[in-house]
Amino acid sequence: MSETKKETKEVVSIDEIMSKLSLEDQTSMKKLLYGSNYEPLELPETVMNFAKKMQFEIGSYRIISTPEQVRKARVVRMAALQTKLPLPTTAPVIEMRAAIWKRAEEAIELAAKAKVNIFCLQELWTMPYFFCTREKQPWCEFAEPAENGPTTKFLQVLARKNNMVIVSPILERDEVHSDVIWNTAVVIDNHGDVLGKHRKNHIPRNEDFNESTYYFEGNTGHEVFETEFGKIAINICYGRHHVLNWLMYGLNGAELVFNPSVEAGDFSEVIWPIEPRCAAAANSYFTCAINRVGTEVYPNEFTSGDGKPAHKDFGHCYGSTYLTAPDGTRTPALSRVNEGLLITEFDLNMCRQVKDFWCFQMDRRLEMYAERLTKATKVDYVPQIVRK
Amino acid sequence: MSETKKETKEVVSIDEIMSKLSLEDQTSMKKLLYGSNYEPLELPETVMNFAKKMQFEIGSYRIISTPEQVRKARVVRMAALQTKLPLPTTAPVIEMRAAIWKRAEEAIELAAKAKVNIFCLQELWTMPYFFCTREKQPWCEFAEPAENGPTTKFLQVLARKNNMVIVSPILERDEVHSDVIWNTAVVIDNHGDVLGKHRKNHIPRNEDFNESTYYFEGNTGHEVFETEFGKIAINICYGRHHVLNWLMYGLNGAELVFNPSVEAGDFSEVIWPIEPRCAAAANSYFTCAINRVGTEVYPNEFTSGDGKPAHKDFGHCYGSTYLTAPDGTRTPALSRVNEGLLITEFDLNMCRQVKDFWCFQMDRRLEMYAERLTKATKVDYVPQIVRK
């Protein structure tokens, strides 16, 4: 694979560059870039040694919040996994899936040692991001039923064993309904039961993101899953760009919204640190943006609709997995190049604390916007333009 | 004033810290923080000398975009002014206003020399941010009619003289309708005519932002003003936190949305670089976030509702005025401490180019959200929660 050569050119992370500054300058800069309400989360040496052995970069942080008088703190630990393909894309489907499962199992074991309660995998975590190729086979063979497919069964065992909620974004094949394919996140609770599934609400139609060739806009709404470790939701990948998508999860009571994604390219990276963070602040909940790393190289040439010659790789997936708190504070990201696990600890009570502080949920004039949006979607809507 | 002592403690800017890195690291970091599609905009030496003489920091940038075959480029130059109070807050109302006018006139002259087409002043630019005090007098005397008040008349002359659109956010007194007070932006076109006005849609109710004691939520909708230099809108200050507010300006056709603001405090600064930037990306238009600088000290003590002792200052307004392009690229900010002028040049055609690339305007499922929001605003709305 040409991968190794490519990766060496990539910048590791903003934090790696910042580490060259004086401690004072680093502190000032981090405060401006990330906010003040986070601190390192110390993990036991055994955990760190295991991470090192398994070659997972660890980012571990605690979001700082205030105890309340009436409510008990609801502290949870969340982990988000950032990995690359373990095999070339030419590997047979079952071998690829098995190798990816193995890596996830290692990461879940690591998270369990770190006492993690909620674990989220990447978008379409069992497979290459083959949509760039626009080819149907063998790729569609990665699709599997959400409720009782092999990947769900595999994770149910790990969820039960580790008392861990696991969010598993896969390519779903709905065998009960005409073999329709969906981009779906399966939520498995800490007892190993499938709590439900959520289908991606917004499907991209640009560059290498040819997903609209494979599946349609989700029909499951904006479910919030009530787990023993808080109310979670999943805004899959491209739904990140749509503020109303984020808003509906908030209106349904989400406290933590995952954004499992596959992202490569400058045009995407420039807004990667912005959108999920803005959503956290706008809706007073936690968000976690998760991306894979590495360059996926495909057997056959494809074009990217950008006037450039045909090529075989999807570009560098830039990782940079990070979490944002409801007050807009964010953690540093995992690197742009390494496999890793982001582990964060926070008190879910912070959501309501921030709501009580800012009051966005009260001063946003939702009735007015419901009415105006309804008007604005009519074919004969006349925009409010002031002319001389 | 205790101002001087305070200011020296403030960090100047992220860019000032970054300048200590190697050129290579600076380039990598700026690409990750700001994106790639901007470059310095060279201004003539005469302009820079005048700026120096007048003690205005200059940030000048060009957003890079692509020429089209069919449409002519619509290149405009925009300036945003960031200043501090020229006199102590104890100065008489008319003296204060005259001193502030003088400083604005210098800035507009500077902008004219730099061939600026559209000029935007700060929120409530003619006055101290007195709302922190919760006192009514003499502060309410700063309010004046939008259409024919002294400040509008003052600016009409400058707009006509310099062939410049001027956006003037003031405290409006509607003498025709019961002396109601509003937080309003007046749009004066390049011929010196008042094109219209926009009233702030969302009013804060937190910390020192006691604006709801003085005026109510705006009743002018989400107007877009069609000027000779593009379609502009104004999202005043706190409206920055509300994604639906930004969305409506987009649906009405805005190409450039100003966000004139008064902002101080860590809780606000952490999201300052995020929200207007996210809005630019989400709505495929340019945004410009504008803040004042300096610490305003008031004659009488006031409290901030944060459990801390009474005090006389509002905290440091952190400046950091910046512009974002529709693709999420942003300019570096003006500093956190100096008065300055941000001058940017860009092609308004970029808005449609970005729309054609991402297609957010097509894949956002607006009809679905109009329906869901309408339901979600009902008192008996039942959130979509999945329980075991």
Side-chain angles (χ1 to χ4, degrees):
Chain A
M1 287 174 77
S2 62
E3 187 173 341
T4 318
K5 208 179 82 203
K6 275 185 161 290
E7 298 301 346
T8 53
K9 285 187 211 161
E10 293 294 337
V11 171
V12 173
S13 69
I14 282 183
D15 294 86
E16 193 268 336
I17 300 175
M18 273 199 283
S19 69
K20 299 171 188 177
L21 292 163
S22 73
L23 277 181
E24 191 189 342
D25 281 336
Q26 283 184 56
T27 304
S28 299
M29 193 145 180
K30 283 185 181 171
K31 185 181 166 190
L32 289 172
L33 288 182
Y34 300 148
S36 303
N37 294 330
Y38 76 97
E39 60 189 11
L41 172 68
E42 294 293 329
L43 295 175
E45 209 180 311
T46 49
V47 176
M48 296 308 287
N49 286 340
F50 186 71
K52 197 171 174 187
K53 185 180 153 200
M54 292 289 125
Q55 295 188 288
F56 285 113
E57 176 187 325
I58 295 282
S60 57
Y61 306 94
R62 177 186 286 115
I63 301 294
I64 302 166
S65 59
T66 315
E68 300 178 15
Q69 292 191 39
V70 174
R71 295 194 303 177
K72 270 191 198 163
R74 293 185 297 138
V75 177
V76 297
R77 276 197 190 182
M78 180 227 76
L81 179 59
Q82 164 178 308
T83 55
K84 60 177 75 172
L85 287 186
L87 297 177
T89 57
T90 46
V93 171
I94 290 177
E95 275 179 39
M96 175 68 91
R97 196 172 63 190
I100 295 175
W101 280 2
K102 182 166 172 292
R103 194 66 177 138
E105 188 168 7
E106 290 164 0
I108 291 168
E109 190 182 341
L110 172 58
K113 286 183 198 296
K115 301 190 188 312
V116 162
N117 310 114
I118 309 175
F119 189 100
C120 188
L121 291 143
Q122 297 165 161
E123 184 187 21
L124 304 161
W125 73 276
T126 65
M127 56 181 241
Y129 188 80
F130 61 73
F131 310 114
C132 50
T133 68
R134 297 196 308 284
E135 294 165 347
K136 297 282 183 176
Q137 295 307 340
W139 314 113
C140 284
E141 291 202 54
F142 279 99
E144 51 176 298
E147 289 77 8
N148 56 4
T151 296
T152 299
K153 285 180 180 163
F154 165 75
L155 290 176
Q156 285 179 295
V157 176
L158 298 176
R160 195 178 304 120
K161 176 181 162 195
N162 296 305
N163 189 34
M164 197 186 277
V165 170
I166 299 181
V167 178
S168 167
I170 61 168
L171 192 64
E172 177 194 5
R173 182 180 290 281
D174 187 350
E175 293 181 338
V176 180
H177 301 103
S178 311
D179 265 320
V180 173
I181 289 176
W182 298 99
N183 185 324
T184 300
V186 185
V187 179
I188 301 165
D189 77 10
N190 54 318
H191 305 288
D193 297 325
V194 174
L195 190 54
K197 66 182 174 189
H198 172 71
R199 288 169 174 161
K200 184 173 182 172
N201 274 326
H202 297 270
I203 313 299
R205 286 160 170 78
N206 50 57
E207 278 259 338
D208 279 345
F209 302 92
N210 303 301
E211 297 171 37
S212 62
T213 316
Y214 299 86
Y215 42 76
F216 283 70
E217 279 72 12
N219 59 358
T220 51
H222 294 84
E223 313 106 297
V224 168
F225 299 93
E226 190 172 297
T227 77
E228 289 180 25
F229 309 115
K231 290 184 193 157
I232 66 172
I234 308 101
N235 179 348
I236 303 176
C237 195
Y238 189 78
R240 174 174 70 257
H241 304 302
H242 291 289
V243 294
L244 286 162
N245 199 28
W246 290 107
L247 177 65
M248 283 308 304
Y249 297 113
L251 291 177
N252 288 334
E255 295 172 306
L256 165 62
V257 184
F258 292 105
N259 177 232
S261 304
V262 182
E263 290 294 337
D266 290 350
F267 60 93
S268 147
E269 192 167 7
V270 70
I271 43 180
W272 174 258
I274 304 304
E275 293 163 319
R277 194 172 175 197
C278 188
N283 299 289
S284 309
Y285 53 46
F286 293 86
T287 66
C288 181
I290 306 168
N291 189 17
R292 61 177 74 185
V293 283
T295 302
E296 302 187 358
V297 182
Y298 289 85
N300 304 324
E301 276 194 326
F302 58 90
T303 55
S304 297
D306 57 359
K308 293 183 184 155
H311 52 279
K312 293 185 170 184
D313 76 271
F314 175 59
H316 174 70
C317 288
Y318 51 77
S320 306
T321 296
Y322 72 101
L323 174 121
T324 304
D327 68 349
T329 296
R330 58 159 285 186
T331 68
L334 291 179
S335 77
R336 299 179 70 257
V337 294
N338 301 321
E339 294 192 313
L341 203 61
L342 176 73
I343 299 175
T344 53
E345 183 181 288
F346 46 85
D347 181 354
L348 293 167
N349 284 351
M350 193 180 180
C351 299
R352 200 179 81 179
Q353 291 170 10
V354 171
K355 283 182 183 173
D356 284 352
F357 175 79
W358 276 115
C359 300
F360 294 156
Q361 76 284 8
M362 289 191 274
D363 56 30
R364 63 184 161 200
R365 307 181 75 178
L366 217 51
E367 292 79 2
M368 178 181 81
Y369 288 109
E371 197 185 314
R372 291 198 184 164
L373 270 190
T374 303
K375 285 182 187 162
T377 52
K378 305 294 178 210
V379 177
D380 58 355
Y381 175 67
V382 180
Q384 190 184 4
I385 296 181
V386 180
R387 292 186 181 90
K388 204 164 173 176
Chain B
M1 284 176 78
S2 63
E3 187 173 338
T4 318
K5 207 180 83 204
K6 276 185 161 289
E7 298 300 346
T8 53
K9 286 185 206 161
E10 293 294 335
V11 170
V12 173
S13 70
I14 283 182
D15 294 85
E16 192 268 337
I17 300 175
M18 273 200 284
S19 69
K20 299 172 186 176
L21 292 164
S22 73
L23 277 181
E24 191 188 341
D25 282 336
Q26 282 185 56
T27 304
S28 299
M29 193 145 181
K30 282 185 182 171
K31 184 179 166 191
L32 290 172
L33 288 183
Y34 300 146
S36 302
N37 294 331
Y38 76 97
E39 60 189 11
L41 172 69
E42 293 294 329
L43 295 175
E45 210 179 310
T46 49
V47 176
M48 296 308 286
N49 286 341
F50 186 71
K52 198 171 171 186
K53 185 178 154 204
M54 293 287 126
Q55 295 188 288
F56 284 115
E57 177 188 324
I58 294 282
S60 57
Y61 305 95
R62 177 185 285 114
I63 301 295
I64 301 166
S65 59
T66 315
E68 300 178 16
Q69 293 192 37
V70 175
R71 295 195 302 178
K72 270 191 198 163
R74 292 185 299 140
V75 176
V76 297
R77 276 197 190 183
M78 180 227 76
L81 178 60
Q82 164 178 310
T83 54
K84 59 176 75 170
L85 287 186
L87 297 177
T89 57
T90 45
V93 171
I94 290 177
E95 276 180 38
M96 174 69 90
R97 197 173 63 192
I100 294 176
W101 280 3
K102 182 167 173 290
R103 195 67 178 136
E105 188 168 6
E106 290 164 1
I108 290 168
E109 189 182 342
L110 173 58
K113 286 181 197 297
K115 301 189 190 307
V116 162
N117 311 113
I118 309 175
F119 189 100
C120 188
L121 291 144
Q122 297 165 161
E123 184 188 20
L124 303 162
W125 72 277
T126 63
M127 56 181 239
Y129 188 79
F130 60 73
F131 310 115
C132 50
T133 68
R134 298 196 307 285
E135 294 165 347
K136 296 283 181 174
Q137 296 305 341
W139 314 113
C140 284
E141 291 201 52
F142 280 99
E144 52 177 297
E147 289 76 9
N148 55 3
T151 296
T152 299
K153 285 180 181 164
F154 165 75
L155 290 176
Q156 284 179 294
V157 176
L158 297 176
R160 194 177 305 121
K161 176 181 163 194
N162 296 305
N163 189 34
M164 196 186 278
V165 170
I166 299 181
V167 178
S168 167
I170 60 168
L171 191 64
E172 177 194 4
R173 181 181 291 280
D174 187 351
E175 294 180 339
V176 180
H177 300 102
S178 311
D179 264 319
V180 173
I181 289 176
W182 298 100
N183 185 323
T184 300
V186 185
V187 179
I188 301 165
D189 76 10
N190 54 318
H191 305 287
D193 298 325
V194 174
L195 190 54
K197 66 182 174 188
H198 172 72
R199 288 170 174 161
K200 184 171 180 172
N201 274 326
H202 297 271
I203 314 298
R205 285 159 171 77
N206 50 58
E207 278 258 337
D208 279 344
F209 302 92
N210 304 301
E211 298 171 36
S212 61
T213 316
Y214 298 85
Y215 42 76
F216 284 69
E217 280 70 13
N219 59 358
T220 52
H222 294 84
E223 314 106 296
V224 168
F225 299 92
E226 190 172 297
T227 77
E228 287 180 26
F229 309 115
K231 290 185 194 155
I232 66 172
I234 307 102
N235 179 348
I236 303 176
C237 194
Y238 190 78
R240 172 175 72 256
H241 304 302
H242 291 289
V243 295
L244 286 162
N245 199 28
W246 290 107
L247 177 64
M248 283 307 305
Y249 297 113
L251 291 176
N252 287 334
E255 296 172 306
L256 165 62
V257 183
F258 292 104
N259 177 231
S261 304
V262 182
E263 291 292 337
D266 290 350
F267 60 92
S268 146
E269 190 166 8
V270 69
I271 44 179
W272 174 258
I274 304 304
E275 293 163 318
R277 192 172 175 196
C278 188
N283 299 291
S284 307
Y285 53 47
F286 293 85
T287 66
C288 182
I290 306 168
N291 190 16
R292 60 177 76 184
V293 283
T295 302
E296 302 188 356
V297 183
Y298 289 85
N300 303 323
E301 277 195 327
F302 58 92
T303 56
S304 297
D306 58 359
K308 292 181 186 158
H311 53 280
K312 292 186 171 183
D313 75 274
F314 176 59
H316 174 70
C317 288
Y318 50 76
S320 305
T321 297
Y322 71 101
L323 175 123
T324 304
D327 70 348
T329 296
R330 59 159 284 184
T331 68
L334 292 179
S335 78
R336 298 180 69 258
V337 293
N338 300 323
E339 294 193 311
L341 203 60
L342 177 72
I343 298 175
T344 54
E345 183 182 287
F346 46 84
D347 181 356
L348 293 166
N349 284 350
M350 192 179 180
C351 298
R352 200 177 82 177
Q353 291 170 9
V354 172
K355 283 182 184 173
D356 284 352
F357 174 80
W358 276 115
C359 300
F360 294 156
Q361 78 282 12
M362 289 191 276
D363 56 31
R364 63 184 162 199
R365 307 181 75 179
L366 217 50
E367 291 79 1
M368 178 181 81
Y369 288 109
E371 197 185 315
R372 292 197 183 165
L373 270 191
T374 304
K375 284 182 187 163
T377 52
K378 305 293 179 209
V379 177
D380 59 355
Y381 175 66
V382 181
Q384 190 184 4
I385 295 180
V386 180
R387 294 186 179 88
K388 205 163 168 177

